[in-house]
Amino acid sequence: MSQLACVVVTFNPDLDYFKTVIAKILKNEVLIYIVDNGSENINDWSSYLSPSIVLISLEENVGIARAQNIGIQHAFSAGAEYIWLSDQDTIYPSDYATKMMDVVESIESEKILFGAVGPSFIELNRNRIEAFVRFAPWGRRFQPNKGLNKVAHLIASGMIIPKNAYEAVGGKREDLFIDWVDLEWCWRANAQDYQVYGTGDVVIEHNLGDLMVKVANKQISIRSPFRHYFIIRNGLYLCLHNELLPWGARIHYFILTLATSIVYPILAPSHKWQHLKANVLGIWHGIIGRLGSKP
């Protein structure tokens, strides 16, 4: 697996859970680059490090996009040809790298230009395999089929990106800071004819780690007002200002983002006023196109 390197971005990870995450990745026998966004508990988990782990401590929260870009560049400079992205909340099987590189080899044997390939995943809070999404022309969800599935986007965890695709498409958009970052990159890759795929043959476990509120038969994830600001701001910005999205998808996500901006303060069990203020500010900044790391 010398051609494959894993880039893990951390920010105050849960100690016990993160220990399991790292142990599972290490079983795949790959070099790991942990890019830490200024975790206050870094001294508590740095003891997990081994010769197969390179720690890049940024000492402040620069956002998921910049942290990923930094880790990816370090891995490429060290000779990696493929990047395996992960967050701190995802559990992988011990043969994950082998299976995913088999998928990569099968794609490349067909002379297909591809931007990324990712696994199916079980969201542990919902205890189900989550759907993939394709634009037809709006965002249509569908259950993963066996083999390769053409998709509009992937989550970061488990995504495998070849070096040539990353260099052609460009890095993650750092002005988005967090949320929608990997979706936007996948849309950009697809727009440049670097097809993005999801495979139904490999499954990982992903844990959002957030409060889940049940409404009717749906589980809705409630995060902090800080995260909700970026979810709403970036969602509206991309719908209004990103021409890579087909009109059907832009309308679909615009309505969905506005709906969540209303739902979050209502469902939040506490700090409802803070949620409302963050959401209103996110709406305004998304409309006028004000991005960056701070609300």
Side-chain angles (χ1 to χ4, degrees), residues 1-7 31-33 54 56 70-83 163:
M1 293 300 166
S2 59
Q3 288 187 308
L4 178 67
C6 184
V7 174
L31 186 61
I32 304 172
Y33 292 84
V54 177
I56 304 169
I70 290 171
I72 289 169
Q73 291 298 340
H74 272 77
F76 285 156
S77 296
E81 293 294 326
Y82 300 89
I83 296 298
K163 181 178 180 180

mmCIF file with all atom_site columns, all heavy atoms in Angstrom, residues 1-7 31-33 54 56 70-83 163:
data_model
loop_
_atom_site.group_PDB
_atom_site.id
_atom_site.type_symbol
_atom_site.label_atom_id
_atom_site.label_alt_id
_atom_site.label_comp_id
_atom_site.label_asym_id
_atom_site.label_entity_id
_atom_site.label_seq_id
_atom_site.pdbx_PDB_ins_code
_atom_site.Cartn_x
_atom_site.Cartn_y
_atom_site.Cartn_z
_atom_site.occupancy
_atom_site.B_iso_or_equiv
_atom_site.pdbx_formal_charge
_atom_site.auth_seq_id
_atom_site.auth_comp_id
_atom_site.auth_asym_id
_atom_site.auth_atom_id
_atom_site.pdbx_PDB_model_num
ATOM 1   N N   . MET A 1 1   ? 0.820  -1.207 0.000  1.00 0.00 ? 1   MET A N   1
ATOM 2   C CA  . MET A 1 1   ? 0.000  0.000  0.000  1.00 0.00 ? 1   MET A CA  1
ATOM 3   C C   . MET A 1 1   ? 0.860  1.265  0.000  1.00 0.00 ? 1   MET A C   1
ATOM 4   O O   . MET A 1 1   ? 0.428  2.309  0.477  1.00 0.00 ? 1   MET A O   1
ATOM 5   C CB  . MET A 1 1   ? -0.930 -0.002 1.205  1.00 0.00 ? 1   MET A CB  1
ATOM 6   C CG  . MET A 1 1   ? -1.993 -1.074 1.157  1.00 0.00 ? 1   MET A CG  1
ATOM 7   S SD  . MET A 1 1   ? -3.073 -0.933 -0.265 1.00 0.00 ? 1   MET A SD  1
ATOM 8   C CE  . MET A 1 1   ? -3.875 -2.528 -0.218 1.00 0.00 ? 1   MET A CE  1
ATOM 9   N N   . SER A 1 2   ? 2.081  1.160  -0.518 1.00 0.00 ? 2   SER A N   1
ATOM 10  C CA  . SER A 1 2   ? 2.981  2.305  -0.480 1.00 0.00 ? 2   SER A CA  1
ATOM 11  C C   . SER A 1 2   ? 2.474  3.475  -1.309 1.00 0.00 ? 2   SER A C   1
ATOM 12  O O   . SER A 1 2   ? 2.848  4.624  -1.056 1.00 0.00 ? 2   SER A O   1
ATOM 13  C CB  . SER A 1 2   ? 4.368  1.895  -0.979 1.00 0.00 ? 2   SER A CB  1
ATOM 14  O OG  . SER A 1 2   ? 4.305  1.404  -2.307 1.00 0.00 ? 2   SER A OG  1
ATOM 15  N N   . GLN A 1 3   ? 1.598  3.214  -2.285 1.00 0.00 ? 3   GLN A N   1
ATOM 16  C CA  . GLN A 1 3   ? 1.064  4.299  -3.111 1.00 0.00 ? 3   GLN A CA  1
ATOM 17  C C   . GLN A 1 3   ? -0.098 5.013  -2.442 1.00 0.00 ? 3   GLN A C   1
ATOM 18  O O   . GLN A 1 3   ? -0.488 6.089  -2.882 1.00 0.00 ? 3   GLN A O   1
ATOM 19  C CB  . GLN A 1 3   ? 0.612  3.755  -4.465 1.00 0.00 ? 3   GLN A CB  1
ATOM 20  C CG  . GLN A 1 3   ? 1.742  3.363  -5.407 1.00 0.00 ? 3   GLN A CG  1
ATOM 21  C CD  . GLN A 1 3   ? 1.199  3.008  -6.763 1.00 0.00 ? 3   GLN A CD  1
ATOM 22  O OE1 . GLN A 1 3   ? 0.283  2.192  -6.901 1.00 0.00 ? 3   GLN A OE1 1
ATOM 23  N NE2 . GLN A 1 3   ? 1.724  3.633  -7.801 1.00 0.00 ? 3   GLN A NE2 1
ATOM 24  N N   . LEU A 1 4   ? -0.661 4.423  -1.405 1.00 0.00 ? 4   LEU A N   1
ATOM 25  C CA  . LEU A 1 4   ? -1.843 4.962  -0.745 1.00 0.00 ? 4   LEU A CA  1
ATOM 26  C C   . LEU A 1 4   ? -1.479 5.517  0.622  1.00 0.00 ? 4   LEU A C   1
ATOM 27  O O   . LEU A 1 4   ? -0.812 4.848  1.418  1.00 0.00 ? 4   LEU A O   1
ATOM 28  C CB  . LEU A 1 4   ? -2.902 3.865  -0.586 1.00 0.00 ? 4   LEU A CB  1
ATOM 29  C CG  . LEU A 1 4   ? -4.200 4.245  0.142  1.00 0.00 ? 4   LEU A CG  1
ATOM 30  C CD1 . LEU A 1 4   ? -5.004 5.252  -0.675 1.00 0.00 ? 4   LEU A CD1 1
ATOM 31  C CD2 . LEU A 1 4   ? -5.043 2.991  0.415  1.00 0.00 ? 4   LEU A CD2 1
ATOM 32  N N   . ALA A 1 5   ? -1.917 6.741  0.909  1.00 0.00 ? 5   ALA A N   1
ATOM 33  C CA  . ALA A 1 5   ? -1.724 7.347  2.229  1.00 0.00 ? 5   ALA A CA  1
ATOM 34  C C   . ALA A 1 5   ? -3.072 7.821  2.745  1.00 0.00 ? 5   ALA A C   1
ATOM 35  O O   . ALA A 1 5   ? -3.928 8.262  1.973  1.00 0.00 ? 5   ALA A O   1
ATOM 36  C CB  . ALA A 1 5   ? -0.750 8.516  2.151  1.00 0.00 ? 5   ALA A CB  1
ATOM 37  N N   . CYS A 1 6   ? -3.248 7.728  4.057  1.00 0.00 ? 6   CYS A N   1
ATOM 38  C CA  . CYS A 1 6   ? -4.507 8.131  4.689  1.00 0.00 ? 6   CYS A CA  1
ATOM 39  C C   . CYS A 1 6   ? -4.321 9.469  5.388  1.00 0.00 ? 6   CYS A C   1
ATOM 40  O O   . CYS A 1 6   ? -3.383 9.647  6.169  1.00 0.00 ? 6   CYS A O   1
ATOM 41  C CB  . CYS A 1 6   ? -4.950 7.074  5.691  1.00 0.00 ? 6   CYS A CB  1
ATOM 42  S SG  . CYS A 1 6   ? -6.549 7.420  6.458  1.00 0.00 ? 6   CYS A SG  1
ATOM 43  N N   . VAL A 1 7   ? -5.208 10.426 5.101  1.00 0.00 ? 7   VAL A N   1
ATOM 44  C CA  . VAL A 1 7   ? -5.188 11.744 5.731  1.00 0.00 ? 7   VAL A CA  1
ATOM 45  C C   . VAL A 1 7   ? -6.403 11.852 6.643  1.00 0.00 ? 7   VAL A C   1
ATOM 46  O O   . VAL A 1 7   ? -7.547 11.793 6.189  1.00 0.00 ? 7   VAL A O   1
ATOM 47  C CB  . VAL A 1 7   ? -5.202 12.869 4.683  1.00 0.00 ? 7   VAL A CB  1
ATOM 48  C CG1 . VAL A 1 7   ? -5.339 14.235 5.361  1.00 0.00 ? 7   VAL A CG1 1
ATOM 49  C CG2 . VAL A 1 7   ? -3.934 12.824 3.832  1.00 0.00 ? 7   VAL A CG2 1
ATOM 50  N N   . LEU A 1 31  ? 0.489  4.509  5.543  1.00 0.00 ? 31  LEU A N   1
ATOM 51  C CA  . LEU A 1 31  ? 1.015  5.643  6.282  1.00 0.00 ? 31  LEU A CA  1
ATOM 52  C C   . LEU A 1 31  ? -0.122 6.620  6.547  1.00 0.00 ? 31  LEU A C   1
ATOM 53  O O   . LEU A 1 31  ? -0.906 6.930  5.637  1.00 0.00 ? 31  LEU A O   1
ATOM 54  C CB  . LEU A 1 31  ? 2.123  6.320  5.483  1.00 0.00 ? 31  LEU A CB  1
ATOM 55  C CG  . LEU A 1 31  ? 2.894  7.455  6.185  1.00 0.00 ? 31  LEU A CG  1
ATOM 56  C CD1 . LEU A 1 31  ? 3.598  6.936  7.437  1.00 0.00 ? 31  LEU A CD1 1
ATOM 57  C CD2 . LEU A 1 31  ? 3.903  8.080  5.235  1.00 0.00 ? 31  LEU A CD2 1
ATOM 58  N N   . ILE A 1 32  ? -0.231 7.086  7.783  1.00 0.00 ? 32  ILE A N   1
ATOM 59  C CA  . ILE A 1 32  ? -1.326 7.962  8.184  1.00 0.00 ? 32  ILE A CA  1
ATOM 60  C C   . ILE A 1 32  ? -0.780 9.359  8.476  1.00 0.00 ? 32  ILE A C   1
ATOM 61  O O   . ILE A 1 32  ? 0.197  9.516  9.214  1.00 0.00 ? 32  ILE A O   1
ATOM 62  C CB  . ILE A 1 32  ? -2.033 7.429  9.447  1.00 0.00 ? 32  ILE A CB  1
ATOM 63  C CG1 . ILE A 1 32  ? -2.535 6.000  9.224  1.00 0.00 ? 32  ILE A CG1 1
ATOM 64  C CG2 . ILE A 1 32  ? -3.200 8.347  9.834  1.00 0.00 ? 32  ILE A CG2 1
ATOM 65  C CD1 . ILE A 1 32  ? -3.080 5.351  10.488 1.00 0.00 ? 32  ILE A CD1 1
ATOM 66  N N   . TYR A 1 33  ? -1.439 10.354 7.907  1.00 0.00 ? 33  TYR A N   1
ATOM 67  C CA  . TYR A 1 33  ? -1.138 11.753 8.227  1.00 0.00 ? 33  TYR A CA  1
ATOM 68  C C   . TYR A 1 33  ? -2.312 12.297 9.032  1.00 0.00 ? 33  TYR A C   1
ATOM 69  O O   . TYR A 1 33  ? -3.423 12.422 8.509  1.00 0.00 ? 33  TYR A O   1
ATOM 70  C CB  . TYR A 1 33  ? -0.939 12.575 6.955  1.00 0.00 ? 33  TYR A CB  1
ATOM 71  C CG  . TYR A 1 33  ? 0.294  12.203 6.175  1.00 0.00 ? 33  TYR A CG  1
ATOM 72  C CD1 . TYR A 1 33  ? 0.273  11.145 5.272  1.00 0.00 ? 33  TYR A CD1 1
ATOM 73  C CD2 . TYR A 1 33  ? 1.489  12.889 6.345  1.00 0.00 ? 33  TYR A CD2 1
ATOM 74  C CE1 . TYR A 1 33  ? 1.404  10.784 4.558  1.00 0.00 ? 33  TYR A CE1 1
ATOM 75  C CE2 . TYR A 1 33  ? 2.631  12.541 5.642  1.00 0.00 ? 33  TYR A CE2 1
ATOM 76  C CZ  . TYR A 1 33  ? 2.583  11.480 4.749  1.00 0.00 ? 33  TYR A CZ  1
ATOM 77  O OH  . TYR A 1 33  ? 3.705  11.132 4.043  1.00 0.00 ? 33  TYR A OH  1
ATOM 78  N N   . VAL A 1 54  ? 2.181  10.227 10.958 1.00 0.00 ? 54  VAL A N   1
ATOM 79  C CA  . VAL A 1 54  ? 2.809  11.542 10.942 1.00 0.00 ? 54  VAL A CA  1
ATOM 80  C C   . VAL A 1 54  ? 1.797  12.552 11.471 1.00 0.00 ? 54  VAL A C   1
ATOM 81  O O   . VAL A 1 54  ? 0.702  12.673 10.920 1.00 0.00 ? 54  VAL A O   1
ATOM 82  C CB  . VAL A 1 54  ? 3.253  11.938 9.513  1.00 0.00 ? 54  VAL A CB  1
ATOM 83  C CG1 . VAL A 1 54  ? 3.837  13.347 9.511  1.00 0.00 ? 54  VAL A CG1 1
ATOM 84  C CG2 . VAL A 1 54  ? 4.250  10.936 8.962  1.00 0.00 ? 54  VAL A CG2 1
ATOM 85  N N   . ILE A 1 56  ? 0.639  16.306 12.043 1.00 0.00 ? 56  ILE A N   1
ATOM 86  C CA  . ILE A 1 56  ? 0.814  17.689 11.604 1.00 0.00 ? 56  ILE A CA  1
ATOM 87  C C   . ILE A 1 56  ? -0.093 18.542 12.481 1.00 0.00 ? 56  ILE A C   1
ATOM 88  O O   . ILE A 1 56  ? -1.310 18.554 12.308 1.00 0.00 ? 56  ILE A O   1
ATOM 89  C CB  . ILE A 1 56  ? 0.447  17.858 10.115 1.00 0.00 ? 56  ILE A CB  1
ATOM 90  C CG1 . ILE A 1 56  ? 1.263  16.890 9.254  1.00 0.00 ? 56  ILE A CG1 1
ATOM 91  C CG2 . ILE A 1 56  ? 0.662  19.301 9.664  1.00 0.00 ? 56  ILE A CG2 1
ATOM 92  C CD1 . ILE A 1 56  ? 0.778  16.794 7.818  1.00 0.00 ? 56  ILE A CD1 1
ATOM 93  N N   . ILE A 1 70  ? -3.570 20.484 3.326  1.00 0.00 ? 70  ILE A N   1
ATOM 94  C CA  . ILE A 1 70  ? -2.230 20.383 3.915  1.00 0.00 ? 70  ILE A CA  1
ATOM 95  C C   . ILE A 1 70  ? -1.794 18.924 4.009  1.00 0.00 ? 70  ILE A C   1
ATOM 96  O O   . ILE A 1 70  ? -0.674 18.559 3.631  1.00 0.00 ? 70  ILE A O   1
ATOM 97  C CB  . ILE A 1 70  ? -2.207 21.056 5.297  1.00 0.00 ? 70  ILE A CB  1
ATOM 98  C CG1 . ILE A 1 70  ? -2.330 22.578 5.145  1.00 0.00 ? 70  ILE A CG1 1
ATOM 99  C CG2 . ILE A 1 70  ? -0.925 20.702 6.057  1.00 0.00 ? 70  ILE A CG2 1
ATOM 100 C CD1 . ILE A 1 70  ? -2.525 23.317 6.461  1.00 0.00 ? 70  ILE A CD1 1
ATOM 101 N N   . GLY A 1 71  ? -2.672 18.071 4.520  1.00 0.00 ? 71  GLY A N   1
ATOM 102 C CA  . GLY A 1 71  ? -2.338 16.656 4.641  1.00 0.00 ? 71  GLY A CA  1
ATOM 103 C C   . GLY A 1 71  ? -2.100 16.003 3.293  1.00 0.00 ? 71  GLY A C   1
ATOM 104 O O   . GLY A 1 71  ? -1.164 15.203 3.122  1.00 0.00 ? 71  GLY A O   1
ATOM 105 N N   . ILE A 1 72  ? -2.932 16.339 2.322  1.00 0.00 ? 72  ILE A N   1
ATOM 106 C CA  . ILE A 1 72  ? -2.787 15.770 0.984  1.00 0.00 ? 72  ILE A CA  1
ATOM 107 C C   . ILE A 1 72  ? -1.452 16.167 0.362  1.00 0.00 ? 72  ILE A C   1
ATOM 108 O O   . ILE A 1 72  ? -0.746 15.332 -0.222 1.00 0.00 ? 72  ILE A O   1
ATOM 109 C CB  . ILE A 1 72  ? -3.965 16.220 0.091  1.00 0.00 ? 72  ILE A CB  1
ATOM 110 C CG1 . ILE A 1 72  ? -5.260 15.526 0.540  1.00 0.00 ? 72  ILE A CG1 1
ATOM 111 C CG2 . ILE A 1 72  ? -3.693 15.915 -1.379 1.00 0.00 ? 72  ILE A CG2 1
ATOM 112 C CD1 . ILE A 1 72  ? -6.513 16.083 -0.100 1.00 0.00 ? 72  ILE A CD1 1
ATOM 113 N N   . GLN A 1 73  ? -1.076 17.429 0.488  1.00 0.00 ? 73  GLN A N   1
ATOM 114 C CA  . GLN A 1 73  ? 0.182  17.884 -0.082 1.00 0.00 ? 73  GLN A CA  1
ATOM 115 C C   . GLN A 1 73  ? 1.378  17.199 0.590  1.00 0.00 ? 73  GLN A C   1
ATOM 116 O O   . GLN A 1 73  ? 2.356  16.850 -0.084 1.00 0.00 ? 73  GLN A O   1
ATOM 117 C CB  . GLN A 1 73  ? 0.303  19.402 0.030  1.00 0.00 ? 73  GLN A CB  1
ATOM 118 C CG  . GLN A 1 73  ? -0.665 20.174 -0.856 1.00 0.00 ? 73  GLN A CG  1
ATOM 119 C CD  . GLN A 1 73  ? -0.452 19.906 -2.346 1.00 0.00 ? 73  GLN A CD  1
ATOM 120 O OE1 . GLN A 1 73  ? 0.607  19.458 -2.766 1.00 0.00 ? 73  GLN A OE1 1
ATOM 121 N NE2 . GLN A 1 73  ? -1.473 20.188 -3.143 1.00 0.00 ? 73  GLN A NE2 1
ATOM 122 N N   . HIS A 1 74  ? 1.313  17.004 1.894  1.00 0.00 ? 74  HIS A N   1
ATOM 123 C CA  . HIS A 1 74  ? 2.388  16.284 2.581  1.00 0.00 ? 74  HIS A CA  1
ATOM 124 C C   . HIS A 1 74  ? 2.492  14.857 2.043  1.00 0.00 ? 74  HIS A C   1
ATOM 125 O O   . HIS A 1 74  ? 3.610  14.353 1.809  1.00 0.00 ? 74  HIS A O   1
ATOM 126 C CB  . HIS A 1 74  ? 2.123  16.241 4.094  1.00 0.00 ? 74  HIS A CB  1
ATOM 127 C CG  . HIS A 1 74  ? 2.656  17.422 4.844  1.00 0.00 ? 74  HIS A CG  1
ATOM 128 N ND1 . HIS A 1 74  ? 2.027  18.649 4.843  1.00 0.00 ? 74  HIS A ND1 1
ATOM 129 C CD2 . HIS A 1 74  ? 3.758  17.563 5.623  1.00 0.00 ? 74  HIS A CD2 1
ATOM 130 C CE1 . HIS A 1 74  ? 2.706  19.500 5.594  1.00 0.00 ? 74  HIS A CE1 1
ATOM 131 N NE2 . HIS A 1 74  ? 3.764  18.867 6.074  1.00 0.00 ? 74  HIS A NE2 1
ATOM 132 N N   . ALA A 1 75  ? 1.358  14.200 1.857  1.00 0.00 ? 75  ALA A N   1
ATOM 133 C CA  . ALA A 1 75  ? 1.369  12.819 1.382  1.00 0.00 ? 75  ALA A CA  1
ATOM 134 C C   . ALA A 1 75  ? 1.913  12.718 -0.037 1.00 0.00 ? 75  ALA A C   1
ATOM 135 O O   . ALA A 1 75  ? 2.724  11.840 -0.350 1.00 0.00 ? 75  ALA A O   1
ATOM 136 C CB  . ALA A 1 75  ? -0.043 12.237 1.454  1.00 0.00 ? 75  ALA A CB  1
ATOM 137 N N   . PHE A 1 76  ? 1.484  13.628 -0.905 1.00 0.00 ? 76  PHE A N   1
ATOM 138 C CA  . PHE A 1 76  ? 1.985  13.614 -2.276 1.00 0.00 ? 76  PHE A CA  1
ATOM 139 C C   . PHE A 1 76  ? 3.486  13.899 -2.313 1.00 0.00 ? 76  PHE A C   1
ATOM 140 O O   . PHE A 1 76  ? 4.225  13.278 -3.084 1.00 0.00 ? 76  PHE A O   1
ATOM 141 C CB  . PHE A 1 76  ? 1.238  14.635 -3.128 1.00 0.00 ? 76  PHE A CB  1
ATOM 142 C CG  . PHE A 1 76  ? -0.159 14.220 -3.508 1.00 0.00 ? 76  PHE A CG  1
ATOM 143 C CD1 . PHE A 1 76  ? -1.116 15.185 -3.819 1.00 0.00 ? 76  PHE A CD1 1
ATOM 144 C CD2 . PHE A 1 76  ? -0.523 12.896 -3.562 1.00 0.00 ? 76  PHE A CD2 1
ATOM 145 C CE1 . PHE A 1 76  ? -2.405 14.811 -4.176 1.00 0.00 ? 76  PHE A CE1 1
ATOM 146 C CE2 . PHE A 1 76  ? -1.813 12.511 -3.913 1.00 0.00 ? 76  PHE A CE2 1
ATOM 147 C CZ  . PHE A 1 76  ? -2.756 13.476 -4.223 1.00 0.00 ? 76  PHE A CZ  1
ATOM 148 N N   . SER A 1 77  ? 3.948  14.815 -1.499 1.00 0.00 ? 77  SER A N   1
ATOM 149 C CA  . SER A 1 77  ? 5.372  15.144 -1.465 1.00 0.00 ? 77  SER A CA  1
ATOM 150 C C   . SER A 1 77  ? 6.214  13.952 -1.015 1.00 0.00 ? 77  SER A C   1
ATOM 151 O O   . SER A 1 77  ? 7.388  13.829 -1.394 1.00 0.00 ? 77  SER A O   1
ATOM 152 C CB  . SER A 1 77  ? 5.624  16.333 -0.529 1.00 0.00 ? 77  SER A CB  1
ATOM 153 O OG  . SER A 1 77  ? 4.982  17.503 -1.009 1.00 0.00 ? 77  SER A OG  1
ATOM 154 N N   . ALA A 1 78  ? 5.607  13.078 -0.217 1.00 0.00 ? 78  ALA A N   1
ATOM 155 C CA  . ALA A 1 78  ? 6.313  11.885 0.273  1.00 0.00 ? 78  ALA A CA  1
ATOM 156 C C   . ALA A 1 78  ? 6.215  10.713 -0.694 1.00 0.00 ? 78  ALA A C   1
ATOM 157 O O   . ALA A 1 78  ? 6.756  9.632  -0.408 1.00 0.00 ? 78  ALA A O   1
ATOM 158 C CB  . ALA A 1 78  ? 5.773  11.494 1.638  1.00 0.00 ? 78  ALA A CB  1
ATOM 159 N N   . GLY A 1 79  ? 5.501  10.898 -1.819 1.00 0.00 ? 79  GLY A N   1
ATOM 160 C CA  . GLY A 1 79  ? 5.461  9.854  -2.838 1.00 0.00 ? 79  GLY A CA  1
ATOM 161 C C   . GLY A 1 79  ? 4.147  9.141  -3.025 1.00 0.00 ? 79  GLY A C   1
ATOM 162 O O   . GLY A 1 79  ? 4.046  8.231  -3.862 1.00 0.00 ? 79  GLY A O   1
ATOM 163 N N   . ALA A 1 80  ? 3.106  9.499  -2.269 1.00 0.00 ? 80  ALA A N   1
ATOM 164 C CA  . ALA A 1 80  ? 1.808  8.852  -2.436 1.00 0.00 ? 80  ALA A CA  1
ATOM 165 C C   . ALA A 1 80  ? 1.208  9.190  -3.798 1.00 0.00 ? 80  ALA A C   1
ATOM 166 O O   . ALA A 1 80  ? 1.389  10.296 -4.311 1.00 0.00 ? 80  ALA A O   1
ATOM 167 C CB  . ALA A 1 80  ? 0.854  9.283  -1.326 1.00 0.00 ? 80  ALA A CB  1
ATOM 168 N N   . GLU A 1 81  ? 0.471  8.248  -4.363 1.00 0.00 ? 81  GLU A N   1
ATOM 169 C CA  . GLU A 1 81  ? -0.225 8.461  -5.630 1.00 0.00 ? 81  GLU A CA  1
ATOM 170 C C   . GLU A 1 81  ? -1.744 8.491  -5.447 1.00 0.00 ? 81  GLU A C   1
ATOM 171 O O   . GLU A 1 81  ? -2.470 8.924  -6.333 1.00 0.00 ? 81  GLU A O   1
ATOM 172 C CB  . GLU A 1 81  ? 0.137  7.356  -6.626 1.00 0.00 ? 81  GLU A CB  1
ATOM 173 C CG  . GLU A 1 81  ? 1.590  7.386  -7.082 1.00 0.00 ? 81  GLU A CG  1
ATOM 174 C CD  . GLU A 1 81  ? 1.925  8.622  -7.898 1.00 0.00 ? 81  GLU A CD  1
ATOM 175 O OE1 . GLU A 1 81  ? 1.035  9.105  -8.639 1.00 0.00 ? 81  GLU A OE1 1
ATOM 176 O OE2 . GLU A 1 81  ? 3.073  9.115  -7.788 1.00 0.00 ? 81  GLU A OE2 1
ATOM 177 N N   . TYR A 1 82  ? -2.192 8.046  -4.270 1.00 0.00 ? 82  TYR A N   1
ATOM 178 C CA  . TYR A 1 82  ? -3.625 8.034  -3.959 1.00 0.00 ? 82  TYR A CA  1
ATOM 179 C C   . TYR A 1 82  ? -3.803 8.474  -2.510 1.00 0.00 ? 82  TYR A C   1
ATOM 180 O O   . TYR A 1 82  ? -2.998 8.137  -1.641 1.00 0.00 ? 82  TYR A O   1
ATOM 181 C CB  . TYR A 1 82  ? -4.233 6.640  -4.136 1.00 0.00 ? 82  TYR A CB  1
ATOM 182 C CG  . TYR A 1 82  ? -4.110 6.093  -5.534 1.00 0.00 ? 82  TYR A CG  1
ATOM 183 C CD1 . TYR A 1 82  ? -2.989 5.354  -5.908 1.00 0.00 ? 82  TYR A CD1 1
ATOM 184 C CD2 . TYR A 1 82  ? -5.099 6.323  -6.475 1.00 0.00 ? 82  TYR A CD2 1
ATOM 185 C CE1 . TYR A 1 82  ? -2.860 4.854  -7.191 1.00 0.00 ? 82  TYR A CE1 1
ATOM 186 C CE2 . TYR A 1 82  ? -4.988 5.828  -7.766 1.00 0.00 ? 82  TYR A CE2 1
ATOM 187 C CZ  . TYR A 1 82  ? -3.860 5.093  -8.118 1.00 0.00 ? 82  TYR A CZ  1
ATOM 188 O OH  . TYR A 1 82  ? -3.733 4.610  -9.399 1.00 0.00 ? 82  TYR A OH  1
ATOM 189 N N   . ILE A 1 83  ? -4.877 9.215  -2.261 1.00 0.00 ? 83  ILE A N   1
ATOM 190 C CA  . ILE A 1 83  ? -5.200 9.702  -0.918 1.00 0.00 ? 83  ILE A CA  1
ATOM 191 C C   . ILE A 1 83  ? -6.489 9.047  -0.437 1.00 0.00 ? 83  ILE A C   1
ATOM 192 O O   . ILE A 1 83  ? -7.489 8.993  -1.160 1.00 0.00 ? 83  ILE A O   1
ATOM 193 C CB  . ILE A 1 83  ? -5.377 11.235 -0.911 1.00 0.00 ? 83  ILE A CB  1
ATOM 194 C CG1 . ILE A 1 83  ? -4.067 11.931 -1.283 1.00 0.00 ? 83  ILE A CG1 1
ATOM 195 C CG2 . ILE A 1 83  ? -5.864 11.715 0.456  1.00 0.00 ? 83  ILE A CG2 1
ATOM 196 C CD1 . ILE A 1 83  ? -2.918 11.667 -0.327 1.00 0.00 ? 83  ILE A CD1 1
ATOM 197 N N   . LYS A 1 163 ? -3.886 11.132 -7.395 1.00 0.00 ? 163 LYS A N   1
ATOM 198 C CA  . LYS A 1 163 ? -3.098 12.361 -7.464 1.00 0.00 ? 163 LYS A CA  1
ATOM 199 C C   . LYS A 1 163 ? -3.414 13.164 -8.718 1.00 0.00 ? 163 LYS A C   1
ATOM 200 O O   . LYS A 1 163 ? -3.555 14.391 -8.662 1.00 0.00 ? 163 LYS A O   1
ATOM 201 C CB  . LYS A 1 163 ? -1.610 12.026 -7.410 1.00 0.00 ? 163 LYS A CB  1
ATOM 202 C CG  . LYS A 1 163 ? -0.692 13.236 -7.448 1.00 0.00 ? 163 LYS A CG  1
ATOM 203 C CD  . LYS A 1 163 ? 0.771  12.823 -7.349 1.00 0.00 ? 163 LYS A CD  1
ATOM 204 C CE  . LYS A 1 163 ? 1.704  14.023 -7.385 1.00 0.00 ? 163 LYS A CE  1
ATOM 205 N NZ  . LYS A 1 163 ? 3.134  13.611 -7.282 1.00 0.00 ? 163 LYS A NZ  1
#
